[in-house]
Amino acid sequence: MAEAKNIAGEAAGEGRPTRLRDALRKARIEAADRTGVVVDLRDAEVARLEILNEALDPLFAQIPDRVDLFDRGISQGETPRLWIDVVAHILMGRDKRVYRFVQDTRFGRIVIAESHDVPVIVDAVTDYVARRMVEREHAMVASPVAVLAAPAEESRRRSRFWPFAFGFLLGALALFGMALYASLSSL
């Protein structure tokens, strides 16, 4: 009987951190909601971005160490942002409750996803990270040796000696023809 209580106590102990984590997350969301209503909107933005940053931890834990594309962090400037990489970040919308996931391109800023819900933004960031990793794989596969080998083969096929020799011969014949014409016209 004592063993059953210990096993039940251990099982409850394992479940508590999950419930405590959920309770902490809920308390942070409530605090961010209260702070969003009060004057200090920037702290509310940072708090919401920190909540999203925590929700992204499992995703970034799965990225291999050799992949150095992503540099995640919160910048606390005039507009707080959660940076995913050099060109993509998450900022809060105008009402300070909407997450806006954007990417800067050479043609301007593109909104990738916009939502009140953290899981929607986490899914959008997951898709973005996957696309960036596939782009990296494609860039790594293209070997510079294969790209440089094609022009080398083309230059071997078309030698530049024969056009030069043909031009030289044509020029020599033209000079000989002009000299012959000049000598015949003077007679």
Side-chain angles (χ1 to χ4, degrees):
M1 186 73 147
E3 290 177 24
K5 286 183 180 179
N6 285 342
I7 293 172
E10 289 174 9
E14 291 174 3
R16 282 189 182 160
T18 304
R19 284 188 266 153
L20 178 60
R21 182 183 303 163
D22 292 340
L24 283 171
R25 185 173 179 274
K26 184 178 177 182
R28 287 182 181 146
I29 290 171
E30 289 172 358
D33 286 341
R34 282 192 303 268
T35 309
V37 175
V38 187
V39 178
D40 201 47
L41 294 175
R42 183 170 293 138
D43 288 342
E45 287 181 71
V46 172
R48 287 180 173 276
L49 291 173
E50 286 174 353
I51 291 167
L52 180 61
N53 195 21
E54 276 186 21
L56 290 171
D57 283 341
L59 168 67
F60 283 93
Q62 295 175 10
I63 297 174
D65 291 335
R66 68 180 189 280
V67 176
D68 57 352
L69 290 174
F70 308 104
D71 191 18
R72 184 175 53 133
I74 297 176
S75 65
Q76 296 185 9
E78 185 177 325
T79 304
R81 294 181 172 113
L82 172 58
W83 290 91
I84 303 302
D85 63 3
V86 177
V87 295
H89 61 275
I90 301 164
L91 64 148
M92 302 307 297
R94 291 181 190 231
D95 68 351
K96 308 303 181 201
R97 294 177 185 257
V98 175
Y99 295 103
R100 182 176 289 158
F101 181 33
V102 297
Q103 179 182 13
D104 294 327
T105 66
R106 24 178 208 197
F107 304 113
R109 187 171 283 176
I110 298 171
V111 177
I112 297 173
E114 189 170 10
S115 177
H116 292 280
D117 299 326
V118 172
V120 172
I121 300 298
V122 169
D123 289 342
V125 172
T126 303
D127 291 342
Y128 175 79
V129 166
R131 283 193 318 260
R132 289 293 305 239
M133 289 179 70
V134 167
E135 288 173 5
R136 179 184 184 270
E137 288 173 2
H138 287 299
M140 299 296 279
V141 168
S143 64
V145 175
V147 173
L148 294 176
E153 290 177 17
E154 185 177 322
S155 66
R156 284 186 209 138
R157 283 186 275 151
R158 291 190 319 185
S159 175
R160 295 189 178 165
F161 173 74
W162 293 113
F164 172 76
F166 181 70
F168 182 78
L169 183 63
L170 202 60
L173 284 175
L175 283 174
F176 180 73
M178 285 179 53
L180 184 63
Y181 176 74
S183 68
L184 288 179
S185 64
S186 66
L187 285 177

